[in-house]
Amino acid sequence: MVLHLQPDRELHDALKRRCLYHWIGYPRPSAKWKIVLIREPGVPAALARKVVAAVHRIRELDLAKPPGVAETIDWARTPRFPRETDLRAGAALDTLGAVVKDRDDLDVVRDNLEEITSGA
């Protein structure tokens, strides 16, 4: 059995003993930007780049559950963003539930939201 997992997934020890591992890291931001545009072609390219950059900065924080590609796509497709071309802190705050899946992580991201969105 070969399992392809993100580095943040934990498996039960009994299953780990029966598996071969192949660790797959997160894609580079340039690749993730293309993934977002393919999966959500209605998202403006400028916004997709900013969302990808912001998720990259979120992953640099000490989080229990760093966001993956799926969360990046979900965040880019949130109803508040389609007409946006900029990632502003207000819009980001209203939609963090799409990208942050742990309650404690939400507090960490909120505390750093200005920095996360300022360089987006």
Side-chain angles (χ1 to χ4, degrees):
M1 172 190 291
V2 176
L3 294 176
H4 300 276
L5 300 172
Q6 293 269 342
D8 60 342
R9 302 285 179 154
E10 287 297 322
L11 300 175
H12 190 275
D13 287 340
L15 182 58
K16 287 180 180 180
R17 286 191 301 271
R18 292 167 179 82
C19 296
L20 299 174
Y21 290 87
H22 181 77
W23 298 104
I24 300 173
Y26 294 113
R28 292 180 323 276
S30 60
K32 194 176 343 165
W33 172 73
K34 291 175 186 174
I35 293 168
V36 170
L37 291 179
I38 289 168
R39 295 297 305 260
E40 280 302 312
V43 173
L47 178 63
R49 282 187 197 278
K50 292 176 182 185
V51 167
V52 166
V55 169
H56 182 74
R57 280 191 288 286
I58 289 172
R59 273 202 210 113
E60 293 173 347
L61 299 172
D62 185 23
L63 302 180
K65 171 72 175 89
V69 176
E71 288 83 11
T72 305
I73 294 166
D74 289 345
W75 202 20
R77 75 165 52 131
T78 57
R80 179 114 186 234
F81 285 167
R83 290 172 294 283
E84 301 278 342
T85 56
D86 197 16
L87 181 61
R88 293 176 291 114
L93 180 62
D94 292 344
T95 58
L96 281 178
V99 72
V100 179
K101 304 299 182 181
D102 181 89
R103 181 64 180 98
D104 293 333
D105 289 350
L106 182 62
D107 293 334
V108 172
V109 172
R110 277 185 185 152
D111 291 346
N112 292 281
L113 196 56
E114 286 295 328
E115 182 182 334
I116 289 167
T117 58
S118 67

